[in-house]
């Protein structure tokens, strides 16, 4: 065979081997290699990343339900404070014991708790001499609270006059506060809620300047922006007696806030009456320009006496009060 013909045949054979079945240039791979491996380097080419799984979407907490309030649980708090601890004036060891217990309950309900000291003068507390000392407020905030953003405050004073176990005045208010805290731990409200057990509400003298030391200290600690952020304050003070819920503004101020609480009572079918009263911690807020309202104040025989025992308190009235508060927070 002539050399030129041999060369042509060899060229044709090489071209055939180098092409795939449809005439396109085939990729040559060493035995055992895969399409993602480069023969020269043995490295893998970038693979298409697997899709990132989406984070699970958490269902929002249900809106707060006023019917979730448990009067029996509130009643147990009254028994613990008035029957177990007893009289607890603002600077006494008994007050510190009560505050320790309340702080623990508030933490158990998911609150961020701090103690704010309050300097308290000596004086005469409903006929009993008391020395000066330090009390404190137990302040319980929702996690992540920005105090310059709109929020609500619910408070109840924890102290008593020295001679009284204080079932109605004011274990009843603290009992509603703690049961509200439990319900809020499982539900959402229209605005964040700060809960406060105030120290040193009870008088140490005859004038307006001789009581409400805890709430006055709390208000004084608020910066201007924090005061503006308080869109409403309710003081729970003597809320376990009677069958109608008193809702009191402070000396003509806060009538708009009172109207909103009364509307909340109507919404849940609780009988309520409007009143005027400065004799509780809402007055510290109202006179500083914040909307403050008191719930409670029905007269009763054991007021500021050794007879203010758990038997005085009606759990049904605790339930009415709690439902009004939760309806207001909705």
């Amino acid at each position: 065979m002539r050399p030129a013909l041999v060369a042509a045949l060899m060229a044709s054979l090489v071209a055939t081997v180098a092409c795939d079945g449809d005439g396109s240039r085939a990729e040559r791979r060493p035995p055992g290699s895969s399409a993602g491996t480069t023969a020269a380097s043995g490295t893998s080419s970038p693979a298409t990343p697997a899709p990132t799984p989406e984070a699970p979407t958490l269902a929002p907490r249900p809106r707060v339900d006023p019917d979730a309030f448990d009067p029996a649980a509130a009643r147990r708090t009254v028994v613990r404070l008035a029957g177990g601890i007893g009289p607890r004036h603002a600077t006494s060891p008994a007050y510190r014991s009560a505050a320790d217990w309340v702080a623990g309950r508030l933490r158990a309900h998911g609150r961020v708790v701090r103690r704010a000291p309050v300097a308290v003068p000596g004086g005469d507390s409903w006929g009993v001499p008391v020395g000066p000392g330090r009390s404190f407020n137990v302040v319980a905030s929702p996690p992540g609270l920005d105090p310059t953003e709109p929020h609500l405050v619910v408070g109840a004073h924890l102290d008593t006059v020295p001679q009284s176990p204080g079932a109605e005045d004011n274990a009843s208010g603290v009992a509603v506060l703690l049961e509200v805290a439990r319900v809020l731990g499982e539900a959402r409200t229209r605005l964040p809620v700060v809960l406060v057990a105030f120290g040193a509400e009870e008088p140490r003298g005859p004038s307006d300047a001789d009581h409400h030391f805890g709430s006055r200290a709390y208000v004084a600690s608020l910066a201007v922006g924090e005061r503006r952020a308080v869109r409403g304050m309710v003081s729970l003070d003597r809320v376990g007696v009677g069958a109608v819920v008193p809702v009191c503004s402070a000396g003509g101020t806060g009538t708009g806030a009172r109207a909103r609480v009364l509307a909340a009572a109507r919404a849940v079918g609780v009988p309520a009456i409007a009143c005027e009263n400065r004799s509780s911690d809402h007055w510290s807020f109202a006179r500083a320009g914040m909307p403050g309202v008191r719930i409670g104040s029905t007269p009763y025989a054991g007021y500021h006496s050794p007879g203010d025992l758990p038997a005085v308190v009606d759990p049904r009235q605790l339930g009415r009060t709690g439902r009004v508060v939760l309806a207001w927070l909705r």
Side-chain angles (χ1 to χ4, degrees):
M1 186 177 293
R2 289 177 293 180
L5 181 58
V6 172
L9 289 173
M10 291 296 293
S12 176
L13 179 61
V14 169
T16 300
V17 172
C19 293
D20 62 13
D22 63 0
S24 61
R25 182 67 60 184
E27 182 182 5
R28 295 177 182 268
R29 304 185 186 98
S33 67
S34 64
T37 304
T38 303
S41 64
T43 60
S44 297
S45 60
T48 303
T52 303
E54 294 184 4
T57 301
L58 298 177
R61 292 191 302 169
R63 194 178 182 192
V64 66
D65 179 6
D67 290 334
F69 189 92
D70 183 354
R75 167 76 180 183
R76 288 193 292 271
T77 293
V78 172
V79 172
R80 173 65 183 254
L81 290 174
I85 296 176
R88 48 195 181 279
H89 76 79
T91 57
S92 67
Y95 179 84
R96 290 191 290 274
S97 177
D100 287 344
W101 183 77
V102 167
R105 299 307 305 146
L106 290 167
R107 288 193 187 95
H109 297 317
R111 296 267 145 179
V112 177
V113 178
R114 64 182 175 87
R115 301 185 190 199
V118 179
V120 183
D124 181 280
S125 184
W126 215 253
V128 178
V130 287
R134 188 177 74 163
S135 188
F136 51 88
N137 298 326
V138 180
V139 183
S141 303
L145 175 77
D146 180 348
T148 65
E149 292 295 323
H151 63 277
L152 303 169
V153 178
V154 179
H157 75 85
L158 180 57
D159 64 311
T160 69
V161 293
Q163 66 271 41
S164 176
E168 170 67 347
D169 190 14
N170 186 40
S172 65
V174 176
V176 171
L177 184 82
L178 290 183
E179 180 58 10
V180 165
R182 182 195 66 79
V183 175
L184 297 190
E186 303 169 355
R188 59 187 171 89
T189 52
R190 59 188 170 93
L191 290 173
V193 182
V194 176
L195 305 173
V196 188
F198 290 111
E201 187 271 350
E202 295 290 4
R204 294 195 164 212
S207 76
D208 193 50
D210 293 322
H211 60 171
H212 306 147
F213 297 101
S215 55
R216 285 161 53 195
Y218 182 90
V219 168
S221 74
L222 300 178
V224 172
E226 294 172 333
R227 293 188 184 193
R228 290 174 180 162
V230 176
R231 297 304 167 86
M233 185 274 176
V234 163
S235 175
L236 301 167
D237 196 345
R238 292 171 39 207
V239 298
V241 168
V244 176
V245 174
V247 181
C248 307
S249 59
T253 67
T255 54
R258 181 181 67 184
R260 286 189 287 274
V261 177
L262 288 169
R266 289 192 297 272
V268 291
V270 171
I273 56 171
C275 50
E276 299 283 344
N277 190 306
R278 294 185 181 184
S279 298
S280 191
D281 290 311
H282 67 303
W283 174 231
S284 299
F285 288 77
R287 67 181 179 179
M290 290 171 277
V293 172
R294 172 179 178 167
I295 295 180
S297 70
T298 301
Y300 69 109
Y303 178 65
H304 280 188
S305 79
D308 191 1
L309 296 165
V312 170
V313 174
D314 183 349
R316 294 172 297 179
Q317 185 70 345
L318 297 177
R320 295 182 193 106
T321 302
R323 293 178 68 231
V324 171
V325 174
L326 291 171
W328 176 66
L329 296 175
R330 281 172 67 91

